[in-house]
Amino acid sequence: MSDLTLYIGNKNYSSWSMRPWIALTACGIAFNEKLIPFDDTGGNPLFREFSPTGRVPLLQHGEFRVWESLAIIEYAAELFPDAGIWPADRESRSLARSISMEMLSGFRALRGACPMNIRRHRRSIALPEGVMDDVARISTIWREMRQRSGGPFLFGAFSGADAMFAPVVNRFDTYELTDDPETLDYMAAMKTDPAWIKWRDAALAETWIVAADEA
Ligand SMILES: N[C@@H](CCC(=O)N[C@@H](CS)C(=O)NCC(=O)O)C(=O)O
């Protein structure tokens, strides 16, 4: 039994929950999972019982709690230095953090217009300004990192940076945002990873509907 517990929201919708979950799972780190479904109308009062921000994800380690997806991934990387969450060489590690921070703080047009929704059937939507700029920048990041590393993931093997972009793979797919072969190739690598498949299958089995996330 692990002494780590990851609090998450609905697997179908909670893109920030997916990031540490898939990082830990893909890197072979054992943890307990506590899924608390979104309460769309009540404003998620249960989240506030364990999370200082009233948001998920949150990682509990004994009495200690850490929140914010990237901080959780960093904490796990420190706890398990041999798990390979970050690339081994300094420059790759720094690039992995640069693009992870870009994801965390940016791409608001894409995130706003195209919520992660794993159950949704593939269908394009009218895209507000800025979405295709985000798609172009993300595609460039993926192409440059994979050219540098040789792929199939951004730094060769799956890393925390791939975890930060994992929900974007669903968005590109679900809203038909790309037909670029290199981008599709990265998406294919992600979608055949066992950790991705495990999350996806659990998401597909959920029945909760969050109206705000149904674009
Ligand atoms: N920057 C945070 C974002 C966390 C976040 O916005 N989580 C969403 C779920 S994906 C949430 O808890 N929303 C509930 C609410 O705002 O009431 C992170 O990286 O963890």
Side-chain angles (χ1 to χ4, degrees), residues 14-16 38 43-44 47 54-57 68-69 104:
S14 186
S15 60
W16 295 113
F38 290 121
N44 304 303
F47 290 177
R55 290 172 182 234
V56 286
E68 288 285 330
S69 52
L104 190 69

Side-chain angles (χ1 to χ4, degrees), residues 87-166:
D89 83 278
R90 191 181 62 227
E91 289 188 357
S92 297
R93 210 162 46 246
S94 297
L95 287 173
R97 289 188 167 118
S98 295
I99 63 172
S100 294
M101 286 303 299
E102 235 186 296
M103 179 68 248
L104 190 69
S105 59
F107 308 126
R108 288 177 195 279
L110 171 69
R111 279 164 38 204
C114 305
M116 185 175 89
N117 185 343
I118 291 177
R119 239 176 9 228
R120 185 181 193 275
H121 294 298
R122 296 184 86 234
R123 186 165 43 89
S124 58
I125 56 171
L127 297 172
E129 204 182 316
V131 173
M132 289 316 288
D133 293 339
D134 287 350
V135 169
R137 172 64 193 146
I138 292 168
S139 304
T140 300
I141 291 173
W142 292 352
R143 187 183 64 252
E144 288 181 355
M145 296 304 141
R146 293 176 79 234
Q147 271 171 1
R148 188 177 169 278
S149 71
F153 290 101
L154 299 172
F155 296 92
F158 192 102
S159 75
D162 297 287
M164 290 304 290
F165 283 96

Side-chain angles (χ1 to χ4, degrees), residues 7 36 46-52 55-56 58 60 65:
Y7 287 77
I36 310 211
L46 290 177
F47 290 177
R48 283 189 283 277
E49 286 178 10
F50 61 86
S51 166
R55 290 172 182 234
V56 286
L58 177 140
Q60 179 112 28
R65 292 176 305 172

